[in-house]
Amino acid sequence: MSTTKIQFRRKVIVIVLLCVAVGGAVVRHYATPGTTTRDIATLLMVLWVPIIGNVIAWLISKRPRRAPSAPAVMPPSFDTAGAFTPHARVELTFRKPALPSQDVPIAPGEYRCALVIDKEGFSARWVVPPGDALERGKPAALEVEFLSPAVAQPKFAQGAVFRVLIGDSFIADGRVL
């Protein structure tokens, strides 16, 4: 079903319910108080209530929006950090994926992640050298660069245990060597 058909159907429903509500208001106005006709007319007027939220949402969507303001200070990024500068040596054990078809070695290249200790995460990156691959389930020693080493290094003392977060999944467990 295309979006235009859905929008057309919604408009028709709103118009029909509005007409029913207006008709109910007219009947209620001329009906004798306390009669069944007046009660049914009141009920017809109430049919309009669920549509009010849709009408308000439509009006809000028609309101002009301002462009989002640019942040005052750009957050630091590895793109501006330059060459890889290791800050810690760690041992990572990559978790096995849920699907056996995804159980492939970690290919060479640069990987960005968050290293999580308790409930604190620190942006980091590591490099798998060309011609090398890391097997899942086996520990591998790697060098890690922190985006903010002054903040992260005090938390990553020798023997500290952490998890590796990429996106919304923890992909590895590690410890500082």
Side-chain angles (χ1 to χ4, degrees), residues 53-76:
N54 289 332
V55 171
I56 291 171
W58 178 77
L59 290 172
I60 289 172
S61 72
K62 295 299 179 187
R63 192 180 73 194
R65 295 189 178 134
R66 290 182 275 164
S69 60
V73 177
M74 292 298 292

Side-chain angles (χ1 to χ4, degrees), residues 20-31:
V20 168
V22 169
V26 170
V27 170
R28 186 176 191 278
H29 179 70
Y30 291 109

Side-chain angles (χ1 to χ4, degrees), residues 42-120:
T42 303
L43 210 67
L44 292 174
M45 287 175 51
V46 174
L47 285 175
W48 175 250
V49 173
I51 300 301
I52 292 172
N54 289 332
V55 171
I56 291 171
W58 178 77
L59 290 172
I60 289 172
S61 72
K62 295 299 179 187
R63 192 180 73 194
R65 295 189 178 134
R66 290 182 275 164
S69 60
V73 177
M74 292 298 292
S77 159
F78 281 117
D79 296 329
T80 59
F84 183 83
T85 308
H87 295 122
R89 185 157 179 81
V90 299
E91 179 183 79
L92 296 180
T93 305
F94 292 92
R95 297 176 179 179
K96 295 274 188 181
L99 299 174
S101 63
Q102 294 176 347
D103 191 6
V104 295
I106 309 297
E110 177 185 295
Y111 294 89
R112 297 177 184 190
C113 65
L115 301 182
V116 180
I117 292 183
D118 294 325
K119 293 184 179 182
E120 290 184 281

Side-chain angles (χ1 to χ4, degrees), residues 14-24 48:
V14 168
I15 290 169
V16 167
L17 288 176
L18 178 59
C19 291
V20 168
V22 169
W48 175 250

